[in-house]
Amino acid sequence: MIILLVWGVFFHPICQASEFDSRPEIVMVTWRGKTRAETGFVQGLENLGYSPSYTIFNCRQNLEYLNQMLPRIKEARPDLIYVFGTTATKQVVAAIKDIPVIFNIVTRPVESGIIESWRAPGNNATGVSSMVPLSSQIKALKKVVPFTRLGVIYNPVEQNSVIQVSELNQLARIKGFKLVHFTITSDLDVIPVLDKFETKVDAIYFPSDSTIKTLGQRIVEKVNAGSLPSLAALEEMVTSEGAMMGLVPDYYHLGGLAAQKADAVLNGSHPSRVPAVTSEHFSITVNLKTAKKIGVHLPTGILVMADKIVR
């Protein structure tokens, strides 16, 4: 999510929204349509006393469309721009320097070059990360299946995914398992890339990847057909597409955190001095139907700790 703020306005150091700034104009740049992150952001601002007007640009994972819209956004001079995801955030931050940007669902904002550091972003952007420690995710999957060969399915064009896979490579060396890469950039890749892949790995990991999420049903069907246990970094991959389990962030909660960052900016804080944050709460989501279908017994400890179970 990105928030754009008009710098010509004089900001008063107040704790609550004033009559003037309680109705900000906000541009929302979404990458794959409305998610619970946007719902949490909108509700969070309402809870803080704001009644914004929203202009929404759904990029539909199309960078060309986003680049065409950026001049219009700059000319509109909204009070805030909310941006979802690493790919869209990088484009917005690169093109717009004089309006504050609040991002959301950016897994690695420092490594991807969006901000300089967590505590001091250093530019016109701050926001919220959806990062869940990969070591924790792998540990959760290991409790279910003692794999030695882990497959990761991702789009190499998405920098966010490339960063996650790079960290997975390091983790594989430390933990002593083999990481097998399966790269998919469009629906045309699904069948050729995943043909007989079940003979090459013991389990599958789905990173936080918009392309894989969009093609989720087709991809997960192939994975489940091969009776492969899977762990996803996105809740919807488990609840809607049928991945076996996930250790995931709560998008609605992250939206609320992004609203708090927006509130700080609207009250006069420069984004460069508003620390970026991530949630400390992660949810275990389990698809019991999938586990039964592929013949995997989920440990009682996992089921007891699960925040959501699909039966």
Side-chain angles (χ1 to χ4, degrees):
M1 263 186 192
I2 294 178
I3 296 178
L4 298 180
L5 189 59
V6 180
W7 292 115
V9 176
F10 179 78
F11 298 101
H12 297 278
I14 56 178
C15 297
Q16 295 181 341
S18 67
E19 182 64 28
F20 171 76
D21 63 12
S22 66
R23 300 179 181 275
E25 295 182 3
I26 298 179
V27 164
M28 301 185 77
V29 179
T30 64
W31 186 239
R32 48 183 170 87
K34 183 180 179 181
T35 72
R36 281 177 51 80
E38 285 71 57
T39 302
F41 179 74
V42 171
Q43 185 63 60
L45 284 179
E46 290 180 2
N47 292 342
L48 289 167
Y50 293 93
S51 300
S53 61
Y54 294 99
T55 301
I56 300 174
F57 294 94
N58 177 14
C59 298
R60 298 183 178 86
Q61 302 179 51
N62 187 325
L63 276 179
E64 182 178 351
Y65 172 78
L66 173 58
N67 289 331
Q68 291 174 355
M69 293 302 104
L70 287 174
R72 289 178 54 185
I73 295 173
K74 291 179 68 174
E75 291 174 5
R77 302 298 295 177
D79 295 302
L80 295 173
I81 297 178
Y82 164 99
V83 178
F84 177 104
T86 301
T87 302
T89 298
K90 285 179 67 68
Q91 293 298 111
V92 174
V93 171
I96 299 175
K97 306 291 187 180
D98 59 346
I99 303 174
V101 170
I102 306 287
F103 57 80
N104 198 11
I105 317 301
V106 171
T107 307
R108 304 293 192 278
V110 177
E111 291 85 346
S112 60
I114 291 172
I115 56 175
E116 293 179 5
S117 72
W118 290 87
R119 290 182 59 82
N123 57 3
N124 62 315
T126 187
V128 181
S129 167
S130 56
M131 179 174 60
V132 175
L134 279 170
S135 58
S136 298
Q137 293 179 322
I138 297 305
K139 183 178 180 180
L141 184 57
K142 281 265 189 186
K143 288 182 178 180
V144 178
V145 53
F147 61 84
T148 58
R149 303 171 302 166
L150 179 67
V152 56
I153 304 175
Y154 68 103
N155 182 356
V157 176
E158 293 195 22
Q159 185 180 14
N160 178 54
S161 297
V162 172
I163 293 171
Q164 292 176 81
V165 172
S166 177
E167 292 185 13
L168 269 177
N169 282 324
Q170 298 178 28
L171 196 59
R173 289 192 292 269
I174 295 172
K175 299 296 184 181
F177 63 87
K178 180 182 179 181
L179 187 67
V180 183
H181 297 215
F182 298 96
T183 58
I184 291 177
T185 58
S186 74
D187 59 344
L188 298 177
D189 297 331
V190 175
I191 292 179
V193 170
L194 300 184
D195 185 36
K196 298 181 180 178
F197 75 125
E198 66 271 16
T199 63
K200 303 176 183 178
V201 296
D202 307 309
I204 290 290
Y205 175 74
F206 298 114
S208 177
D209 184 303
S210 291
T211 300
I212 303 307
K213 169 62 184 70
T214 300
L215 301 174
Q217 187 170 8
R218 292 189 62 196
I219 293 172
V220 174
E221 283 179 354
K222 293 283 290 183
V223 171
N224 291 344
S227 297
L228 287 172
S230 59
L231 183 138
L234 296 174
E235 181 177 272
E236 291 179 354
M237 289 290 289
V238 181
T239 58
S240 300
E241 273 72 49
M244 186 185 73
M245 62 181 291
L247 185 64
V248 299
D250 185 327
Y251 271 28
Y252 183 86
H253 176 66
L254 295 181
L257 292 178
Q260 293 177 20
K261 298 302 170 182
D263 178 52
V265 170
L266 286 171
N267 277 290
S269 296
H270 195 288
S272 65
R273 297 189 294 272
V274 178
V277 297
T278 188
S279 174
E280 296 181 356
H281 173 70
F282 312 121
S283 300
I284 296 178
T285 302
V286 170
N287 192 314
L288 201 56
K289 289 196 302 184
T290 295
K292 291 178 178 179
K293 179 180 179 180
I294 66 177
V296 172
H297 174 72
L298 293 171
T300 302
I302 292 289
L303 295 176
V304 169
M305 292 188 296
D307 298 272
K308 185 176 295 185
I309 299 177
V310 178
R311 301 181 185 275

